[in-house]
């Protein structure tokens, strides 16, 4: 309001010293600036509403968010019919851009709630495809930027994520390389400092336990293989 009042005073003074055409042009500029300020305010509120919906109890906005965000991570292939579907493409690109923007906003503003949302989704979702996408995004969220987001999480949230990932390995009834890779990548950073002491006993049990299914055993061997290659000299036998 202070800025708009100042602009209005400047415009009034301008009217007494300049021709009407210039006055009209200046008036248009003032109105444009006013509209941009209003739009910025609405966009901020829109982002807040989006964040609330994504992190809220309803899974639908979160699932849509995951799907759109994954598109932003994937390389787009040339579409020979793109010009024929320009309206649909524009709408789709806008949703993908919004999802990427919201991901970065929540990563900065509320990483704790975002990570917990991913953990709860991995626990409860029966959709294999969405779970895999969720793991891919979680991997990016937790392991990029030198684990910056991870170290900004509380100890309890870190424990929840570790527990959920290991539970998921035990429960998966299909091959999920992304899940195994995420665990291995995190473990390569944590094991040298003994920050994940329960991991190696868990993997040993997965390999030798009679109750482990083939997918669980494959995941355990996959993780151990990556760890042996990356931090083999620092690994301590169970």
């Amino acid at each position: 309001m202070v800025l708009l009042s100042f602009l209005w005073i400047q415009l009034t003074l301008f009217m007494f010293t300049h021709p009407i055409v210039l006055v009209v042009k200046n008036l248009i500029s003032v109105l444009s600036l006013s509209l941009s300020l209003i739009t910025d305010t609405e966009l901020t509120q829109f982002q807040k509403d989006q964040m609330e919906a994504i992190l809220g109890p309803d899974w639908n906005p979160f699932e849509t968010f995951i799907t759109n965000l994954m598109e932003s991570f994937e390389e787009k292939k040339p579409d020979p019919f793109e010009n024929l579907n320009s309206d649909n493409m524009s709408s789709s690109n806008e949703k993908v851009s919004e999802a990427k923007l919201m991901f970065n906003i929540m990563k900065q503003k509320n990483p704790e709630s975002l990570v917990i949302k991913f953990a709860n989704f991995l626990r409860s979702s029966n959709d294999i495809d969405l779970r895999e996408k969720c793991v891919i995004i979680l991997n990016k969220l937790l392991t990029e930027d030198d684990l910056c987001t991870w170290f900004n999480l509380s100890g309890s949230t870190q424990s929840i994520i570790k527990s959920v990932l290991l539970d998921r390995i035990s429960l998966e009834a299909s091959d999920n390389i992304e899940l195994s890779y995420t665990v291995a990548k995190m473990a390569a950073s944590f094991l040298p400092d003994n920050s994940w002491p329960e991991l190696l006993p868990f993997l040993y049990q997965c390999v030798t336990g009679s109750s482990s299914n083939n997918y669980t055993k494959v995941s355990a061997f996959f993780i151990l293989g990556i760890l042996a290659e990356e931090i083999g000299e620092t690994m301590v036998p169970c």
Side-chain angles (χ1 to χ4, degrees):
M1 289 300 296
V2 174
L3 177 59
L4 292 178
S5 298
F6 172 77
L7 291 172
W8 181 254
I9 292 172
Q10 294 298 313
L11 178 60
T12 303
L13 294 174
F14 188 83
M15 290 175 64
F16 288 104
T17 57
H18 294 77
I20 188 63
V21 173
L22 293 179
V23 171
V24 171
K25 288 183 178 180
N26 209 38
L27 178 60
I28 293 174
S29 298
V30 171
L31 292 175
S32 298
L33 178 58
S34 301
L35 289 174
S36 68
L37 291 172
I38 295 172
T39 302
D40 288 344
T41 302
E42 290 177 347
L43 182 61
T44 301
Q45 185 59 48
F46 173 75
Q47 291 172 349
K48 290 179 181 178
D49 292 341
Q50 286 286 91
M51 187 184 304
E52 184 177 346
I54 292 170
L55 299 178
D58 186 0
W59 287 117
N60 288 332
F62 183 74
E63 292 175 356
T64 301
F65 166 70
I66 290 176
T67 301
N68 290 334
L69 186 58
M70 274 302 300
E71 289 190 33
S72 73
F73 295 151
E74 297 169 351
E75 291 187 7
K76 294 196 66 175
K77 298 179 180 179
D79 183 2
F81 302 103
E82 183 172 350
N83 292 333
L84 299 177
N85 303 296
S86 57
D87 291 341
N88 292 335
M89 285 294 297
S90 177
S91 176
S92 176
N93 291 338
E94 183 178 349
K95 291 177 181 178
V96 170
S97 297
E98 286 178 1
K100 190 171 184 178
L101 176 61
M102 289 308 305
F103 176 72
N104 290 328
I105 289 175
M106 290 186 288
K107 181 179 178 180
Q108 295 294 325
K109 301 293 185 182
N110 200 354
E112 200 91 16
S113 296
L114 181 60
V115 169
I116 290 294
K117 186 71 176 184
F118 276 111
N120 290 336
F121 186 81
L122 285 174
R123 272 180 175 156
S124 60
S125 176
N126 294 320
D127 190 315
I128 297 175
D129 180 59
L130 282 177
R131 282 206 311 271
E132 183 171 342
K133 290 177 179 178
C134 184
V135 169
I136 293 172
I137 298 171
L138 190 61
N139 181 23
K140 288 182 174 291
L141 177 62
L142 296 180
T143 64
E144 289 186 348
D145 303 322
D146 296 324
L147 301 172
C148 180
T149 300
W150 174 262
F151 290 120
N152 284 330
L153 299 175
S154 65
S156 60
T157 298
Q158 291 178 351
S159 297
I160 289 172
I161 286 296
K162 291 175 182 177
S163 175
V164 168
L165 290 175
L166 298 189
D167 287 345
R168 218 42 273 172
I169 288 177
S170 299
L171 295 172
E172 285 293 351
S174 62
D175 189 16
N176 192 333
I177 294 297
E178 292 295 339
L179 175 61
S180 304
Y181 180 73
T182 299
V183 171
K185 194 168 183 180
M186 292 173 61
S189 298
F190 302 151
L191 286 181
D193 298 329
N194 198 31
S195 299
W196 203 348
E198 64 271 25
L199 177 63
L200 291 181
F202 167 81
L203 295 176
Y204 179 78
Q205 183 61 35
C206 288
V207 172
T208 61
S210 58
S211 60
S212 298
N213 61 45
N214 289 335
Y215 296 110
T216 299
K217 291 180 180 180
V218 169
S219 294
F221 277 121
F222 180 85
I223 295 168
L224 288 169
I226 292 179
L227 293 178
E229 182 178 345
E230 295 197 6
I231 58 168
E233 296 180 358
T234 64
M235 291 175 65
V236 179
C238 301

